[in-house]
């Protein structure tokens, strides 16, 4: 067997990392393309979300540049297994003490979308794109992220295929909703032996009964947001929405807080904030029920929209005999980790180009 031709090294400490993946690439061109791609992602460029930006070429006019074409070949035409690459990446993250996951972290699931012209690329259609906040032509990914107070890193991503791209629409056997894809990502994290305290997600997933039912059936702990005015059946005299339930917690003032309890949130930069949290009762949700409704806010009197959370969780209170109890501070801490997802969302065009 002939020896492998040496590959031009990546700069600095990136080369030892890239060498860990060399066995997954069969040719010198692939190994070089992998290094070029990693370097382009990490360089402080304004356009490292496009191939021209990754290669350091002009936008549009530089699309035919030799370096851009070489980089285009690596993710779109070169034959390598993106799942093997991702599995090794996760293994390295698990083994490194600086990033090793533990059972106090959270598994955040979310989706992200970006504009993309035309409809030649798989999964592209007119749909809601979170990155632009409206319906537009583009591609959407459902993603998972492991996070704690010190670090965060992505686990898996899968493309969402709109019903309009499938022959039988929503009745097509291949159709999966975003919450269904999110459940698959939770299962993938467990298969990869990634420990976490709870699955955390915004109200798009918290308001979806299929998602919550699937997590309950799989005995997966979760802390999920609900919309403030999500309606729930209840007797006429009882609360019918989370915000109404919050209004029944007896707040008068900090000296007479009713059922509210003071919670201190600690941030990575060292500063702290005082929040208030309480177990509320709404329909079948309650402090001693299988599902709890926890309200957290900076001001129980006004419940400001920008700093009030309505959280659904299956983590029991510490007074319960059930496993994995969680007090109010822990619930607030876990959902607070959800903010990291805004720092870690990949652009879908990158993800699918790299995984092609």
């Amino acid at each position: 067997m002939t020896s492998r031709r040496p590959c031009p090294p990546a700069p600095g400490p990136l080369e030892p990392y890239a060498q860990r993946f060399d066995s997954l690439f069969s040719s010198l061109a692939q190994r070089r393309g992998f290094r070029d791609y990693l370097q382009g992602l990490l360089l402080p460029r304004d356009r490292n979300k496009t191939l021209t930006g990754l290669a350091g070429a002009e936008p549009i006019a530089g699309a035919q540049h030799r370096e851009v074409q070489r980089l285009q070949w690596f993710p779109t035409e070169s034959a390598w297994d993106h799942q093997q690459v991702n599995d090794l990446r996760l293994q390295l993250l698990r083994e490194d003490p600086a990033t090793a996951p533990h059972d106090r972290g959270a598994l955040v699931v979310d989706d992200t979308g970006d504009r993309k012209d035309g409809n030649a690329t798989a999964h592209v259609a007119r749909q809601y794109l979170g990155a632009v906040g409206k319906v537009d032509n583009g591609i959407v990914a459902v993603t998972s992220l492991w996070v704690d107070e010190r670090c965060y890193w992505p686990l898996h991503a899968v493309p969402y295929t709109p019903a309009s791209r499938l022959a039988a629409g929503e009745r097509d056997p291949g159709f999966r909703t975003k919450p269904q894809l999110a459940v698959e990502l939770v299962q993938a994290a467990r298969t990869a032996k990634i420990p976490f305290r709870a699955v955390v997600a915004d109200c798009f997933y918290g308001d979806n009964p299929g998602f919550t039912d699937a997590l309950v059936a799989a005995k997966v702990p979760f802390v999920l947001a609900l919309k403030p005015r999500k309606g729930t059946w209840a007797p006429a005299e009882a609360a019918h929405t989370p915000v109404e339930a919050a209004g029944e917690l007896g707040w008068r003032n900090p000296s007479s807080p009713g059922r509210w309890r003071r919670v201190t949130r600690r941030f990575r930069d060292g500063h702290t904030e005082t929040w208030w949290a309480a177990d509320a009762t709404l329909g079948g949700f309650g402090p001693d029920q299988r599902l709890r409704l926890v309200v957290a806010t900076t001001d129980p009197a006004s419940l400001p929209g920008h700093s009030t959370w309505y959280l659904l969780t299956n983590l029991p209170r510490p007074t319960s005999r059930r496993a994995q109890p969680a007090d109010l501070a822990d619930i607030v801490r876990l959902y607070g980790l959800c903010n990291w997802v805004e720092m870690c969302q990949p652009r879908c065009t990158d993800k699918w180009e790299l995984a092609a």
Side-chain angles (χ1 to χ4, degrees):
M1 180 181 293
T2 58
S3 60
R4 282 191 159 194
R5 295 169 59 192
C7 181
L14 189 58
E15 176 58 22
Y17 179 79
Q19 288 178 0
R20 303 289 296 271
F21 295 84
D22 280 350
S23 63
L24 303 181
F25 300 110
S26 59
S27 69
L28 171 62
Q30 289 175 343
R31 286 180 279 130
R32 182 172 181 176
F34 180 69
R35 285 162 170 78
D36 289 344
Y37 205 104
L38 286 179
Q39 180 178 339
L41 287 175
L42 296 174
L43 285 174
R45 292 172 175 163
D46 294 335
R47 296 184 297 107
N48 66 352
K49 299 300 183 182
T50 65
L51 286 174
T52 53
L54 289 171
E58 294 182 69
I60 304 177
Q64 302 305 314
H65 190 280
R66 181 169 61 90
E67 295 300 321
V68 177
Q69 288 297 303
R70 187 175 69 183
L71 198 58
Q72 172 76 18
W73 170 84
F74 168 67
T76 61
E77 299 180 43
S78 174
W80 50 275
D81 190 330
H82 73 275
Q83 189 60 58
Q84 289 183 354
V85 172
N86 195 53
D87 288 346
L88 178 54
R89 180 182 66 87
L90 295 182
Q91 176 185 330
L92 296 178
L93 287 166
R94 290 196 304 266
E95 294 173 351
D96 190 331
T99 56
H102 53 80
D103 58 10
R104 279 186 51 80
L107 180 69
V108 182
V109 294
D110 198 12
D111 54 82
T112 182
D114 290 285
R115 290 191 183 101
K116 193 166 184 67
D117 294 333
N119 58 8
T121 303
H123 317 293
V124 171
R126 284 195 62 79
Q127 55 190 315
Y128 181 79
L129 306 177
V132 297
K134 65 177 183 178
V135 174
D136 206 336
N137 201 67
I139 186 170
V140 170
V142 182
T143 63
S144 60
L145 168 78
W146 189 89
V147 58
D148 69 359
E149 287 80 1
R150 61 198 172 94
C151 69
Y152 59 92
W153 37 268
L155 275 78
H156 301 99
V158 290
Y160 166 68
T161 305
S164 60
R165 298 279 312 207
L166 301 171
E170 293 186 2
R171 292 175 294 180
D172 194 284
F175 178 70
R176 297 287 187 277
T177 65
K178 296 171 192 173
Q180 287 172 332
L181 293 174
V183 171
E184 294 176 5
L185 292 187
V186 173
Q187 295 169 341
R190 299 178 86 184
T191 300
K193 302 186 184 307
I194 303 296
F196 54 87
R197 177 72 162 121
V199 171
V200 178
D202 63 22
C203 59
F204 178 81
Y205 297 92
D207 288 339
N208 187 280
F211 182 68
T212 55
D213 289 348
L215 295 187
V216 168
K219 298 182 180 180
V220 175
F222 58 77
V223 178
L224 309 173
L226 297 176
K227 290 180 181 177
R229 303 194 181 278
K230 177 180 172 58
T232 302
W233 184 92
E237 66 278 7
H240 292 81
T241 64
V243 69
E244 290 178 1
E248 297 182 347
L249 294 172
W251 173 267
R252 292 184 179 178
N253 54 58
S255 300
S256 182
R259 289 159 59 186
W260 294 92
R261 296 294 178 265
R262 188 178 277 106
V263 172
T264 300
R265 294 188 62 201
R266 292 177 172 80
F267 295 82
R268 189 176 182 181
D269 63 3
H271 87 277
T272 62
E273 291 182 4
T274 297
W275 280 51
W276 296 85
D279 272 289
T281 300
L282 176 66
F285 308 151
D288 299 314
Q289 302 300 317
R290 283 289 177 180
L291 296 180
R292 298 164 60 190
L293 173 63
V294 173
V295 185
T297 183
T298 54
D299 183 5
S302 62
L303 299 174
H306 66 281
S307 58
T308 300
W309 302 336
Y310 304 90
L311 306 175
L312 183 67
T313 181
N314 59 349
L315 290 168
R317 291 198 302 166
T319 55
S320 171
R321 295 182 179 180
R322 292 159 53 198
Q324 296 183 302
D327 59 19
L328 294 171
D330 199 20
I331 301 296
V332 173
R333 178 190 72 84
L334 285 166
Y335 191 74
L337 296 175
C338 195
N339 291 330
W340 283 113
V341 76
E342 303 301 330
M343 306 290 292
C344 195
Q345 287 286 18
R347 285 194 176 267
C348 300
T349 48
D350 284 348
K351 183 60 65 176
W352 313 134
E353 287 166 357
L354 185 55

